[in-house]
Structure formats: C-alpha cells, structure tokens
Amino acid sequence: MAGSLATVLICDDEPSLRELIRISLVGPYRFAEADDGEESLEIARRLRPDVVILDMMMPRLSGLEVLAELRQDEALSAIPVIVLTAQPATREEALRQGADRVMVKPFEPEQILFSVEAAPTERR
C-alpha cells in the first residue's frame, strides 16, 4: 500500500477504538467508519476499501456475519479483513470464515499499523 492513498474502513461500535485505530495508522491513509454491521456492508459496497478492520461484536450484524457477506460478494471478496475480538475463542472461527488476520483485544497500536501494512497484496 506504500506510495498510494489507501482507504481503510474501520468497523467498530466504540468511537474511542475507532479513534485509536485512526491515530495508530500514520501514513497515507483515507478513513471511512461504520458503527454497526449493516453500515459496514453499505460502506464497503460503496467505497470498496483497500482494507477492512472489523470488530466481532457490533449491533445489527455481527462481525462474523459481515465477514461472511464480504467473502460471498464477488466485488468485495478480495478485500483484506483484519478482525478485532475480545474473545480469543473467536479467533479460529474468524480465520475459518476468511479473515486475513485476527487481533485479540487489548492490542498495541503498533499491531494495527503492522497488520494494515502487512495486508495481503494478492487480495488487493
């Protein structure tokens, strides 16, 4: 993603966590934000972001439901998805559903930056 202005869609119902993620991603990024699962899908379909950061616990649609929809949509299936979860047991399920990376909360801000920069280029 280096050298271009990549769009990162941050999907989390916690405004403070969305802000922490934005602050953690220093560099050439544009941001879009969603605070529930349905809005996450709407924005992803409209913007086709370069990376999605997706919380598992959100209103209206869960992160796993959003992930499944993203992976089933031919236009969106190649977008790298980084899943955030407070429950380590969710990690394996998210990976089975097609998450590219799973981060267990709490995490260090540097982990977010590394995860976005390491998003698989074959999906972009």
Side-chain angles (χ1 to χ4, degrees):
M1 273 188 266
S4 66
L5 195 60
T7 300
V8 178
L9 173 56
I10 305 168
C11 309
D12 198 301
D13 59 332
E14 298 280 335
S16 60
L17 190 56
R18 292 194 311 265
E19 181 178 5
L20 173 65
I21 292 168
R22 277 193 323 273
I23 291 168
S24 300
L25 293 175
V26 294
Y29 299 107
R30 279 184 302 202
F31 299 102
E33 296 182 20
D35 62 8
D36 69 53
E38 285 185 14
E39 184 181 29
S40 299
L41 285 174
E42 291 168 11
I43 293 172
R45 288 179 176 131
R46 187 175 73 245
L47 295 181
R48 301 222 173 121
D50 296 290
V51 176
V52 174
I53 299 174
L54 179 63
D55 185 39
M56 284 291 93
M57 300 291 287
M58 289 190 299
R60 294 174 64 190
L61 288 176
S62 73
L64 283 176
E65 291 170 313
V66 172
L67 180 59
E69 289 285 330
L70 291 172
R71 292 300 178 237
Q72 291 172 11
D73 187 320
E74 189 175 307
L76 304 174
S77 64
I79 297 171
V81 178
I82 300 165
V83 167
L84 307 177
T85 182
Q87 301 174 359
T90 310
R91 183 180 195 284
E92 293 304 316
E93 188 172 358
L95 290 170
R96 276 194 306 275
Q97 292 284 337
D100 295 284
R101 185 175 295 258
V102 179
M103 296 179 54
V104 177
K105 297 177 188 176
F107 50 83
E108 295 296 321
E110 298 83 26
Q111 291 175 285
I112 288 286
L113 179 60
F114 173 79
S115 294
V116 169
E117 288 179 346
T121 55
E122 65 272 8
R123 288 220 186 224
R124 285 185 244 133

